[in-house]
Amino acid sequence: MKRFLGFVNKEFLHIFRDVRTLIILFGIPVLQILLFGFVVSTDLKNAQVAFLDLSQDEMTQKISDKICSSGFFRRSETLLSYNDIDKVLRKNKTKAVIVFEKDFGRNLISEGKATISIITDGSEPNMATLITNYVTGIVTSFNMELAGTQAAGTFLVQPEVRMFYNPSLKGHFMFVPGVITLILIIICALMTSVTITREKEFGTMEVLLVSPLKPFQIILGKVIPYFLLSFINVILILLLSWFVFGLPVKGSLVLLLAESMLYILMSLTLGILISTVSKTMQQAIFISLVGMMLPTILLSGFIFPIENMPAGYGWVAALMPPKYFIIIIKNIMIKGTGFLYVWKETLILILFTLAFTGLSIRNFKIRLQ
Amino acid sequence: MQKIIEARGICKKFGKTQALKDISFEVSEGEIFGFIGPDGAGKTTLFRIIATLLIPDEGTMEVMGLDSVSGYRELRKNIGYMPGRFSLYQDLSVEENLNFYATVFGTTLKENYDLIADIYSHIEPFKKRLAGKLSGGMKQKLALSCALIHKPGLLILDEPTTGVDAVSRAEFWGMLRNLRQHNITIIVSTPYMDEAMKCDRVALIQAGRILSVNQPDKIREQFTRKLFSVQAPEKYKLIHALRSYPGTVTAYPFGDSVHVTFRSDEFDNSLYEYLRGMGITNVVIHETRAGIEDRFLELMEKGTTAIDRG
Amino acid sequence: MKEAVISVKNLVKKFGNFTANDDLNFEVYEGEIFGFLGANGAGKTTAIRILSGLSAPTSGDVTVAGYNAKKQPEQIKKNIGYMCQKFSLYEDLTVKENIMLYGGIYGLKKALIRERTDLLLEKLNFREYGDRLISDLPLGLRQKLAFSVAVLHEPKIVFLDEPTGGVDPITRRQFWEMIYEAAGRGITVFVTTHYMDEAEYCDRISIMSEGKIVALDTPADLKKQYHAASVEEVFVKIARPGNN
């Protein structure tokens, strides 16, 4: 046991002596959270919209009032004909034009559906998407109010699922789970694989192998410091997103931390697996970054929704452990659901952990090659 | 005397490369046993097999009474191993490196201080310095201290003197001598022939084969001919002139002179005349004692001619 | 008197408060094999960097191959060759590709490179190895090839760093014969090494200690002067003033 503690102690010395490691460990998560929070803001506030109301009835009045009173939009102009749309968008102040078709109210009542067109400036795609989503959201809620008073089934537009669980429509909510997921897998997989391959490269592994230390002690000694540091990281990110962006954890904090531990463990075993197949630090870094980070960003649903991917990508995405953790953490943090809703994903993560551990033990050499 | 290492018929291949061919030797307790041979001769591979880090393809390696393959767990507690690249943690201090290896081997610096005192005292004034900031000689001493910290029965030093200056090397060999009083058996490898003289016994190793095993002085005596040292101002011309002389067997540059052997094991005035005829004057010739390197050369030549014939 | 191709007068190199080279004075002559020795940290590397135009002296007059080390380092680089034991040739290129590469770096014309390549392969008995990767060659051959490449552009001076460390005794001798031959052509050979038996092959050697040259003579005279049997003994006696 003393041997083992001595080994863990040495690992901490390595970490605390190397300023670059510390920056990677703690600087990058903080920076990412702040960057995503402030720069890649996905909030909408007082966006100027123009209205072209070809119907001018009670319904259109109600809907446009609802849109303008939401706080997200402000009426900039009231247009009279289609020809004005181009003109007003070109001025660049107005971000979108909302058009009610002729006889909007009558159509809605007699045929059960009416069309509202949202014309946005495609040269600002992010803004355009945001506006479309927000307007759709507002119209949907209007539909629901309407459905409450009248016969069911009079939906105008399909509701956007995302909106349900993000009722205050705050953009920050979406990236915090993604950043936690990304950072944990990078730190854990990259750091452990690098620290083990470093011993190989400097020749110290040779001496460790010839020592009475057992392989699992070497591996465990490498893992424990990063496990603790990563866990501190999770807490740091959660505190940061709470205090800076006012994002609370809706579900059980204990469950969230427990799931994070599982995910950290999974990432660490992945790092060990990487280290058993790479001979140099360079290889380990390459595999960790290109093999882990890019797929995590692209395929885990962090940025691009998995539902929109072609079938093949979906299958690949299914092999990405981060995908499951994103689902878990979104459920707990944002939807506030409990374990019953995420047990499947949890089980998958456990299976990944076991598989990586098994492969690592099989690959770890007690001798040189 | 008890045998610490008994190697029988060790062979090891890496892909197509035959790294070791039928290696057999014995090392007795308390010996300083040297493996002398050029880079690529197989020294590191052999040491890794002794250190339980590699499994031989053929043959048996018995170390301190245990088989190096099946008994590796027990052996690893009792071996001090210093690989070719000094295996130190560059970002840890002298003291931290030493303490780390001490705890890993389940001991403390205090417990075996007297064993390493002679070596460690040289670097103790710098114990707070990071290992990466030490000079080559100091790194070498620290690595040796680390390998000794658990009082191993067998110390395996793979090219400990490579890249270290001559003064540090002289000190290093002195320290190894002093270790004998603690009854530690030492095997050491080096590509430098002159270091053979510092060992009790040596094995000359070349291309995965052992050419000869003996005490260094005995190896020198095994040189089969009389050896002459020839000096003249223009060495390049001298070498070629000597080689073309009919009575010459071999002529090799050796430091500031040329080492020559003659068919008749002697030379007469005709040699001086021959050289004068080639425009070489001021020639000084005297008989000299063959060194390890001369014998190594002779053995290598025999090896190549044997292969040529076969 | 032979012509001096390296002339060092009052060379001083300082890094902040630390004096790495403290008033060095020496000359190296055309076609000479000069051994440049010293303990770790004695200031050898600093001096060689200055001599090869990689670093400027703090003060003093350094002339190499006829050019001033402070003012014309680029000219110096064109007129010297360099070979070290650790790295010299690209292992993933063939013999011919390596020769091409180095010839190109030194601005030799393609036709000339081809001519010299043939000559070189012929001389080394290397014909059949021309298209082999360096990594497939035995160590001894690599070493010999590396030297040939270092003098491919017929430099005035070639710097060798532990040129025969770790090679087998036969190859080692063949290597020294190549060095003798190059020196016979008038190329000055500047050798640095930790191995004193290597130093025995040099025409003259200098020993540095703590930034100063403490001895400079032929190996034979140094041995006589210090009543030593080998250069190694001389070195151990004078190269290390205090501890470390």
Side-chain angles (χ1 to χ4, degrees), chain B residues 30-34 177 180 196 198-202 214-216:
Chain B
E31 261 191 314
I32 298 181
F33 192 94
R177 296 247 131 226
R180 312 169 102 209
K198 325 245 183 193
C199 305
D200 297 322
R201 284 198 308 144
V202 294
N214 217 324
Q215 293 162 10

Side-chain angles (χ1 to χ4, degrees), chain B residues 50 57 67 129 135 172 181 226 236 277:
Chain B
I50 301 171
D57 298 337
D67 183 80
R129 200 181 282 185
S135 71
F172 189 80
Q181 68 198 33
K226 276 195 177 159
Y236 189 63

Side-chain angles (χ1 to χ4, degrees), chain C residues 124-142:
Chain C
L124 291 173
N125 267 330
F126 249 39
R127 285 231 149 267
E128 67 273 35
Y129 290 112
D131 295 313
R132 288 244 212 125
L133 293 181
I134 297 296
S135 54
D136 293 340
L137 296 186
L139 207 74
L141 289 189
R142 276 191 227 184

Side-chain angles (χ1 to χ4, degrees), chain A residues 64-325:
Chain A
S64 35
D65 280 351
K66 200 167 168 57
I67 290 174
C68 290
S69 62
S70 66
F72 305 121
F73 301 104
R74 217 178 55 200
R75 181 189 291 263
S76 63
E77 278 177 70
T78 305
L79 309 181
L80 295 172
S81 85
Y82 276 110
N83 298 336
D84 298 335
I85 295 177
D86 187 49
K87 228 187 289 165
V88 78
L89 280 180
R90 268 177 196 279
K91 276 195 265 174
N92 260 342
K93 264 200 170 161
T94 300
K95 303 294 178 194
V97 180
I98 291 164
V99 184
F100 297 98
E101 65 173 347
K102 224 169 173 223
D103 300 327
F104 183 89
R106 203 185 318 150
N107 286 348
L108 189 64
I109 290 161
S110 62
E111 291 170 32
K113 70 179 179 200
T115 309
I116 174 170
S117 312
I118 309 156
I119 299 166
T120 52
D121 180 0
S123 65
E124 282 183 69
N126 283 334
M127 184 58 88
T129 320
L130 266 180
I131 290 174
T132 321
N133 285 343
Y134 278 52
V135 173
T136 317
I138 292 166
V139 172
T140 307
S141 75
F142 176 79
N143 281 334
M144 301 223 289
E145 281 169 31
L146 213 63
T149 54
Q150 300 184 4
T154 47
F155 293 111
L156 287 178
V157 189
Q158 278 299 314
E160 172 76 27
V161 180
R162 207 164 69 105
M163 301 308 207
F164 271 147
Y165 304 111
N166 199 357
S168 67
L169 296 174
K170 271 197 168 174
H172 305 308
F173 273 46
M174 299 324 301
F175 73 86
V176 171
V179 170
I180 294 182
T181 310
L182 183 64
I183 283 185
L184 288 185
I185 197 155
I186 290 176
I187 287 180
C188 299
L190 183 73
M191 294 295 197
T192 41
S193 61
V194 165
T195 165
I196 295 177
T197 44
R198 183 167 80 159
E199 302 245 9
K200 288 191 195 174
E201 220 169 298
F202 283 104
T204 42
M205 190 57 103
E206 264 181 78
V207 176
L208 291 184
L209 286 177
V210 178
S211 78
L213 274 178
K214 295 186 180 67
F216 82 89
Q217 287 178 313
I218 297 177
I219 287 185
L220 216 58
K222 289 277 176 196
V223 159
I224 284 178
Y226 288 104
F227 185 84
L228 289 176
L229 292 172
S230 302
F231 193 65
I232 294 174
N233 243 317
V234 173
I235 294 171
L236 191 74
I237 296 175
L238 289 179
L239 286 176
L240 208 65
S241 48
W242 189 20
F243 285 115
V244 181
F245 303 115
L247 170 68
V249 177
K250 268 197 150 188
S252 154
L253 187 64
V254 176
L255 180 62
L256 181 66
L257 292 181
E259 293 279 2
S260 302
M261 281 191 200
L262 171 63
Y263 180 64
I264 291 170
L265 201 65
M266 193 277 316
S267 308
L268 290 171
T269 53
L270 179 62
I272 293 164
L273 184 62
I274 293 174
S275 77
T276 61
V277 296
S278 32
K279 282 208 176 76
T280 61
M281 285 192 272
Q282 204 185 352
Q283 276 177 4
I285 292 171
F286 189 78
I287 298 176
S288 305
L289 283 188
V290 178
M292 296 295 119
M293 194 166 132
L294 288 179
T296 304
I297 294 178
L298 299 177
L299 295 176
S300 66
F302 174 24
I303 293 180
F304 307 110
I306 295 171
E307 303 85 64
N308 296 355
M309 288 177 196
Y313 288 84
W315 279 105
V316 179
L319 291 173
M320 296 288 141
K323 171 192 158 174
Y324 302 99
F325 186 63

Side-chain angles (χ1 to χ4, degrees), chain B residues 53-89:
Chain B
L53 282 171
L54 283 176
I55 298 175
D57 298 337
E58 284 171 51
T60 56
M61 177 70 74
E62 210 169 275
V63 183
M64 292 180 278
L66 293 161
D67 183 80
S68 89
V69 179
S70 61
Y72 77 95
R73 254 178 224 286
E74 204 47 43
L75 268 180
R76 285 179 181 187
K77 289 178 194 151
N78 208 11
I79 284 178
Y81 175 49
M82 185 169 146
R85 299 161 293 173
F86 304 142
S87 60
L88 299 167
Y89 294 98

